[in-house]
Amino acid sequence: MFVILPIVLCLVQTPELASAELFTSNAHLQTALYAERDISSLLKLYVEKEEARISKIKQLAEDFDRHSKRALEDVDKYLGNPVNAFLLIKKFTLDWDRNVTPVLSNNTLDSLMEEIEQVKSDLPTFEDLKGAASALMRLQDTYHLDTSAVAHGELGGVASPILSAEECFELGRLSYNEGDFYHTMLWMSQALDHVSFEQADGKLRIESQETEGLAGDLESARVEVLDYLAFSYFKLGDISQALVLTNELLAIDPGHERAANNKKYFEAMLQDETRNKRSVDKNKPGYHIIRDEYRNSEEFLTYEALCRGENVVPIQNADRLTCQYRTNNHPLLLLQPAKEETVHLDPWVVIYHDVLSDEEIRTIKHLATPRLNRATVQNSKTGELEFANYRISKSAWLKGDEHPVIQKVNNRMEAITGLEMSTAEELQIANYGLGGHYEPHFDFARKEEKDAFKSLGTGNRIATFLNYMSDVEAGGATVFPYIGLKLFPKKGNAAFWFNLRKNGEGIYNTRHAACPVLVGTKWVANKWIHERGQEFRRPCSLTEDE
């Protein structure tokens, strides 16, 4: 239903017309007809614009409906693809401002806009967009993903959406804004490769001058990408390539003032022999990601290699690993023993197969989902919980007495491990989504972390029981960098290991990490078991290595 807004026309009145009445003169009445004709034209133009706007709104509604129906057919599979997740976030941030807001901005739609604004509180923000882009970069680095392959719809062997030149450009610009010139170079190079093809095919996004998107015509688009690209090569130390790209930019736009100044600067730098020797050849292995010292450490590089499935550290005594049924003479396990697979001897790490049923997993997810919040880590100095970039996931805590299934799972873990669960932490449910990960860490508190678990009053974390509640299509392994062990999630299985020796000393080889989820969604349920209550179940020892 259209609401006709009043249109005010200002008529210039002469003294004669002011003193006469229009109906007394056909000539004067003719003026009213002209006015009516003009009003009609204005109304028709208004209606045409509104019909076009309504048509666009209808198309948006159909596109959203079609996309959401397809995605909701298998939410985990859809959102498990990081490119899908990035594009979904982009749709409701950059694309929303560019394509949706202008269509909906109308005084007659104020009430609808208010309703939409309420719904938008649940939609992604620009901070989410930055996080999604950062996750894609993390996946690229960890899994050595080829930028061109990702852009052309191949994500580590899994089919994925093809990215346009504009989308590659936005990934490059998001990296640039974070000071990440390596990934800026990768994605701007990809955008440059896309531009000519997409322009020729008529698919390049055309943006108005008011937007910040990739320019619509071929030359302007190339200039914009070359500008970012040349500066990124400069920041990476490759002055020669920066000059080549700057010259290419100036060939298209000779009046580009910044590029002209940069050219003089790059030429002067190349004349300096010392700087010239330091410039980097992009075809040599030295041309690599610039990262902080830790991320270039042996531990971190081993962690990433294990995530990729590489066998970088041989498993010790692999010929002595066994599989067995475990009952512990416990009533819960007598008829259905635990299926125990030893995957490492020192430290002792085992996998228990078929620990959780599908129905139990559904219940746990149902209880946890409304409570999921950004996961935290414990500050080693203050003991306080805080957010950290090295742990990206959402978690919730479930008590045993709030649902029979949680208590049943707790009882089962107690039967399998032989350890007291009443002093353990609540069951922590963690969901790792787009690029979700947790870099190498200890589960136990080291000697210098005296206040880590002080508030619990149950001592240190003696053991970890990690339930896997989903299969992960690609990535998401649990890896132990110091022993070369990698455990890939399998729905229903669980991993178990001791964090402390019998004398209370930490087992430092249990340092482990959750690899970034490449494709899929990872759900786990952690049970951290504490020292208090284990005095007779796992007696102390005076020897150092028992």
Side-chain angles (χ1 to χ4, degrees):
M1 172 178 168
F2 292 103
V3 177
I4 306 301
L5 298 178
I7 299 177
V8 179
L9 297 179
C10 295
L11 299 178
V12 178
Q13 296 182 335
T14 64
E16 293 80 4
L17 285 173
S19 62
E21 296 179 11
L22 291 179
F23 67 88
T24 62
S25 169
N26 285 341
H28 294 165
L29 198 57
Q30 184 179 341
T31 305
L33 292 174
Y34 284 121
E36 184 181 36
R37 182 196 64 183
D38 293 341
I39 292 172
S40 174
S41 297
L42 289 171
L43 290 175
K44 285 180 180 178
L45 182 60
Y46 175 79
V47 169
E48 287 174 3
K49 290 180 178 179
E50 281 299 281
E51 285 178 340
R53 193 174 67 84
I54 293 299
S55 178
K56 289 180 181 178
I57 293 174
K58 183 178 179 182
Q59 184 62 49
L60 282 171
E62 290 174 352
D63 290 346
F64 287 172
D65 183 59
R66 182 167 53 253
H67 177 266
S68 60
K69 282 181 178 176
R70 185 173 71 252
L72 289 170
E73 288 176 358
D74 191 337
V75 176
D76 284 349
K77 182 176 181 181
Y78 179 82
L79 292 181
N81 185 305
V83 176
N84 278 337
F86 170 78
L87 293 178
L88 179 65
I89 292 173
K90 178 176 175 291
K91 174 187 290 187
F92 291 111
T93 51
L94 288 176
D95 294 347
W96 184 277
D97 286 351
R98 292 172 182 170
N99 304 327
V100 180
T101 299
V103 178
L104 297 182
S105 295
N106 186 285
N107 292 335
T108 64
L109 298 176
D110 287 344
S111 60
L112 176 60
M113 288 297 290
E114 289 176 4
E115 293 177 9
I116 289 176
E117 285 301 319
Q118 291 177 1
V119 175
K120 281 186 68 178
S121 63
D122 293 328
L123 293 178
T125 65
F126 281 93
E127 286 300 314
D128 292 314
L129 180 66
K130 287 168 56 179
S134 177
L136 275 175
M137 308 310 161
R138 181 164 59 250
L139 293 173
Q140 271 190 281
D141 298 345
T142 302
Y143 295 105
H144 290 179
L145 301 179
D146 179 71
T147 308
S148 178
V150 175
H152 286 88
E154 206 230 284
L155 193 69
V158 178
S160 184
I162 296 174
L163 296 174
S164 67
E166 186 266 343
E167 287 158 349
C168 293
F169 172 81
E170 292 298 350
L171 280 167
R173 189 166 61 173
L174 286 164
S175 299
Y176 177 87
N177 291 338
E178 294 298 310
D180 180 358
F181 299 107
Y182 173 75
H183 290 106
T184 304
M185 178 269 295
L186 292 180
W187 284 103
M188 287 299 178
S189 297
Q190 196 58 46
L192 195 63
D193 290 343
H194 275 45
V195 165
S196 298
F197 171 78
E198 292 194 4
Q199 181 71 18
D201 205 32
K203 293 180 180 178
L204 188 61
R205 180 189 295 279
I206 306 297
E207 299 291 350
S208 69
Q209 294 300 313
E210 288 75 25
T211 68
E212 297 180 354
L214 188 59
D217 62 279
L218 175 60
E219 289 189 353
S220 298
R222 289 182 66 82
V223 164
E224 192 169 8
V225 174
L226 285 167
D227 197 12
Y228 278 100
L229 198 51
F231 187 74
S232 296
Y233 273 103
F234 160 66
K235 294 296 287 185
L236 291 169
D238 195 340
I239 312 302
S240 297
Q241 184 63 14
L243 181 59
V244 169
L245 293 166
T246 302
N247 285 331
E248 185 178 344
L249 188 161
L250 288 170
I252 302 171
D253 183 4
H256 199 289
E257 185 176 351
R258 181 170 56 251
N261 291 332
N262 285 345
K263 178 182 178 179
K264 295 177 184 177
Y265 182 65
F266 296 155
E267 288 174 339
M269 291 186 72
L270 287 174
Q271 289 175 0
D272 185 324
E273 290 184 0
T274 303
R275 289 185 180 273
N276 194 27
K277 288 178 181 178
R278 289 176 57 194
S279 64
V280 185
D281 183 350
K282 67 179 180 179
N283 296 314
K284 292 181 180 179
Y287 198 79
H288 61 274
I289 310 168
I290 299 175
R291 305 197 290 191
D292 61 47
E293 185 177 352
Y294 172 63
R295 283 169 176 74
N296 282 322
S297 67
E298 182 178 352
E299 178 190 81
F300 198 86
L301 295 175
T302 300
Y303 147 67
E304 290 188 317
L306 290 171
C307 289
R308 295 190 294 270
E310 299 174 15
N311 297 316
V312 289
V313 180
I315 301 296
Q316 298 295 317
N317 300 311
D319 58 324
R320 294 171 54 195
L321 301 179
T322 60
C323 292
Q324 50 274 329
Y325 287 111
R326 181 76 63 188
T327 67
N328 294 334
N329 203 30
H330 195 286
L332 289 180
L333 302 178
L334 292 178
L335 294 179
Q336 189 175 356
K339 304 170 185 176
E340 183 183 270
E341 177 188 359
T342 305
V343 292
H344 202 273
L345 291 176
D346 186 14
W348 187 63
V349 183
V350 294
I351 293 289
Y352 291 108
H353 294 264
D354 305 320
V355 172
L356 294 179
S357 68
D358 288 347
E359 183 58 37
E360 288 170 335
I361 290 172
R362 277 193 294 270
T363 300
I364 293 172
K365 286 183 180 179
H366 175 74
L367 293 171
T369 298
R371 308 185 198 177
L372 289 174
N373 287 299
R374 173 78 183 271
T376 57
V377 297
Q378 201 151 30
N379 186 300
S380 60
K381 295 181 179 179
T382 65
E384 298 296 323
L385 296 176
E386 58 189 21
F387 298 132
N389 289 331
Y390 58 83
R391 186 183 191 186
I392 304 297
S393 64
K394 285 194 170 184
S395 62
W397 299 84
L398 300 179
K399 297 180 180 180
D401 58 5
E402 63 184 278
H403 196 281
V405 166
I406 306 302
Q407 190 58 54
K408 184 178 180 182
V409 170
N410 286 342
N411 292 340
R412 186 180 301 138
M413 289 187 289
E414 181 169 327
I416 292 173
T417 64
L419 298 174
E420 177 63 49
M421 292 292 155
S422 64
T423 56
E425 295 177 45
E426 296 169 5
L427 191 66
Q428 186 200 49
I429 314 304
N431 176 225
Y432 296 80
L434 168 61
H437 70 133
Y438 191 177
E439 291 178 5
H441 61 281
F442 300 105
D443 278 354
F444 63 89
R446 288 164 290 173
K447 288 182 178 179
E448 61 269 25
E449 300 168 342
K450 297 178 180 179
D451 297 328
F453 306 114
K454 185 177 181 180
S455 61
L456 299 178
T458 52
N460 209 343
R461 288 174 175 168
I462 195 173
T464 297
F465 200 103
L466 176 61
N467 295 280
Y468 294 111
M469 299 197 298
S470 65
D471 295 314
V472 179
E473 193 168 350
T478 305
V479 299
F480 296 72
Y482 290 106
I483 59 177
L485 183 64
K486 46 188 180 292
L487 308 176
F488 292 94
K490 187 176 186 308
K491 187 178 181 181
N493 284 3
F496 175 76
W497 63 88
F498 284 104
N499 296 306
L500 305 177
R501 301 187 185 280
K502 285 192 172 184
N503 66 352
E505 294 291 325
I507 305 176
Y508 284 81
N509 280 356
T510 60
R511 188 168 170 84
H512 59 286
C515 296
V517 175
L518 179 57
V519 180
T521 300
K522 179 181 176 182
W523 284 87
V524 297
N526 297 308
K527 195 69 172 179
W528 283 303
I529 306 165
H530 283 249
E531 292 175 298
R532 190 66 51 81
Q534 319 304 338
E535 291 83 355
F536 299 104
R537 296 182 179 234
R538 191 181 189 240
C540 294
S541 170
L542 297 178
T543 61
E544 182 178 349
D545 58 354
E546 185 177 354

